[in-house]
């Protein structure tokens, strides 16, 4: 199983979500830690995106260190803004 890390801005995004959505995000994160590689983020091979309904989770996998680092969680529209701002 991979270890978990969070980008310093992660908590800002996470705290904006209602409690039931936070629970769903946490459940998805637990699944990601067991099988981290899924769908790449819009041509960015080093980033992955996971979906939880209308919400997105952005993360990177560092296989050498067995770490998954999470960067963003939020609605699809917010994810697009984050994407444009981050890159």
């Amino acid at each position: 199983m991979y270890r978990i890390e969070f980008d310093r801005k992660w908590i800002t995004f996470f705290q904006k979500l209602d409690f039931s959505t936070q629970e769903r995000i946490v459940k998805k994160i637990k699944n990601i830690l067991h099988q981290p590689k899924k769908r790449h983020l819009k041509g960015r091979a080093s980033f992955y995106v996971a979906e939880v309904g209308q919400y997105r989770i952005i993360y990177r996998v560092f296989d050498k260190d067995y770490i998954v680092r999470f960067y963003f969680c939020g609605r699809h529209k917010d994810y697009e803004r984050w994407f444009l701002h981050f890159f």
Side-chain angles (χ1 to χ4, degrees), residues 28-37 50 57 59 68 70:
K28 186 68 167 189
I29 286 172
K30 289 178 182 178
N31 290 337
I32 290 169
L33 292 175
H34 289 286
Q35 294 181 334
K37 295 182 182 176
I57 303 170
Y59 61 98
V68 178
F70 293 88

Side-chain angles (χ1 to χ4, degrees), residues 13 39-43 47-51 54-58 72-87:
F13 300 119
R39 191 178 84 187
H40 288 288
L41 173 68
K42 290 188 179 180
F47 285 87
Y48 294 89
V49 60
E51 298 179 3
Q54 294 296 316
Y55 296 88
R56 303 295 182 265
I57 303 170
I58 309 301
F72 172 84
C73 63
R75 291 189 181 272
H76 183 66
K77 285 195 294 186
D78 298 326
Y79 143 77
E80 289 176 341
R81 280 194 293 265
W82 175 88
F83 179 81
L84 292 172
H85 177 73
F86 192 81
F87 298 102

Side-chain angles (χ1 to χ4, degrees), residues 8-21:
R8 61 186 172 88
K9 293 184 179 182
W10 167 269
I11 194 68
T12 305
F13 300 119
F14 188 74
Q15 288 177 337
K16 291 179 182 179
L17 305 174
D18 63 74
F19 184 72
S20 64
T21 304

